[in-house]
């Protein structure tokens, strides 16, 4: 298994840890995949069912997701494929050297409550809200430049109280605002977005290895 950090800051810090099981055939059953994702405890874990086609299966510690942003950005970088095949649909992917990019529809993203605050300082001062609702708290840092400060609170009650970097929520916010965004989330992760035609949105960020791969 590989562990990646997705949506790192320019200096390589931060990012959301992602577990990637490169040979998903070793864990074929959904129940076993769900149990492994819960045991690993990452915000999301990806099982690669066909590395050449880019076929992937995505799990949080408590549920299976048809699509999720940061797992697709990380898996695309690791597999170096032009497309990922998810349960939601085909996700275009490309690399530009520093960034790994995907192109996906915002309506593939799981539901999030987008909650705007008056300032970045208010977002930074928020306490973790009670479980029960997936809240993406955000505020403009520099509206003219498209710079956003955000934090994500999954509210699932599965041990992930705050999500360090949330690609799906970035897609939803980009669709709502209708413009390219430069988002700083969590402790300092960076996500970049750009809206395209037909509800497709480009989502990108830096990906690194925080630790050597291990066998699963």
């Amino acid at each position: 298994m590989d562990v990646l950090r997705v949506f790192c800051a320019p200096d390589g810090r931060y990012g959301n840890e992602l577990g990637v099981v490169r040979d998903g055939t070793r864990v074929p059953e959904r129940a076993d995949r769900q149990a492994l994702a819960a045991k690993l405890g990452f915000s999301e874990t990806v099982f690669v069912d066909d590395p050449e086609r880019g076929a992937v299966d995505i799990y949080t510690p408590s549920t299976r997701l048809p699509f999720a942003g940061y797992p697709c950005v990380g898996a695309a970088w690791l597999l170096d494929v032009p497309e990922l095949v998810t349960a939601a649909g085909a996700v275009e992917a490309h690399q530009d050297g520093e960034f790994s990019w995907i192109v996906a529809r915002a309506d593939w993203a799981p539901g999030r409550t987008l909650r705007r605050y008056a300032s970045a300082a208010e977002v930074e001062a928020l306490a973790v809200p009670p479980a029960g609702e997936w809240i993406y708290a955000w505020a403009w840092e520099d509206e003219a430049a498209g710079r956003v400060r955000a934090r994500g609170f999954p509210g699932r009650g599965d041990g992930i109280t705050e999500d360090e970097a949330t690609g799906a929520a970035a897609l939803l916010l980009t669709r709502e605002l209708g413009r390219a965004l430069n988002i700083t989330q969590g402790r300092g992760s960076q996500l970049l977005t750009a809206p395209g035609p037909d509800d497709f949105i480009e989502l990108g960020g830096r990906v690194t290895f925080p630790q050597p791969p291990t066998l699963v």
Side-chain angles (χ1 to χ4, degrees):
M1 186 189 76
D2 295 285
V3 179
L4 312 179
R5 280 192 291 117
V6 184
F7 297 128
C8 298
D11 62 5
R13 294 187 298 163
Y14 309 119
N16 206 353
E17 285 196 321
L18 172 71
V20 181
V21 179
R22 289 211 202 199
D23 185 1
T25 62
R26 298 182 64 180
V27 192
E29 300 298 326
R30 284 191 184 181
D32 294 333
R33 291 181 176 192
Q34 187 65 76
L36 179 57
K39 179 180 179 181
L40 293 171
F42 300 120
S43 290
E44 271 122 39
T45 298
V46 173
F47 296 84
V48 180
D49 290 322
D50 187 332
E52 292 185 2
R53 291 178 56 240
V56 297
D57 196 20
I58 305 167
Y59 291 77
T60 74
S62 58
T63 192
R64 180 177 183 257
L65 297 176
F67 167 82
Y70 99 90
C72 285
V73 171
W77 177 85
L78 183 66
L79 300 176
D80 193 20
V81 291
E83 181 180 88
L84 295 175
V85 180
T86 71
V91 177
E92 180 185 331
H94 66 275
Q95 320 291 324
D96 71 1
E98 183 178 6
F99 296 99
S100 174
W101 296 90
I102 63 168
V103 180
R105 293 182 62 88
D107 61 9
W108 291 345
R112 306 281 187 261
T113 297
L114 305 179
R115 188 168 293 169
R116 182 178 178 178
Y117 288 82
S119 69
E122 284 188 56
V123 172
E124 290 168 1
L126 290 173
V128 175
E133 185 179 14
W134 216 120
I135 297 171
Y136 192 65
W138 72 278
W140 289 113
E141 281 190 316
D142 183 337
E143 185 171 358
R147 290 176 51 217
V148 168
R149 181 70 175 99
R151 292 174 66 191
F153 304 105
R156 295 185 300 251
D158 60 6
I160 307 298
T161 58
E162 181 167 354
D163 202 24
E164 175 61 24
T166 314
L171 293 178
L172 294 173
L173 185 61
T174 301
R175 179 175 64 181
E176 179 172 294
L177 298 176
R179 58 179 296 186
L181 300 176
N182 182 343
I183 301 169
T184 300
Q185 185 178 336
R187 297 170 300 159
S189 301
Q190 184 180 26
L191 303 84
L192 303 176
T193 69
D198 301 322
D199 199 37
F200 280 95
I201 295 171
E202 194 171 26
L203 171 68
R206 302 173 190 83
V207 186
T208 64
F209 281 112
Q211 61 189 59
T214 58
L215 295 177
V216 169

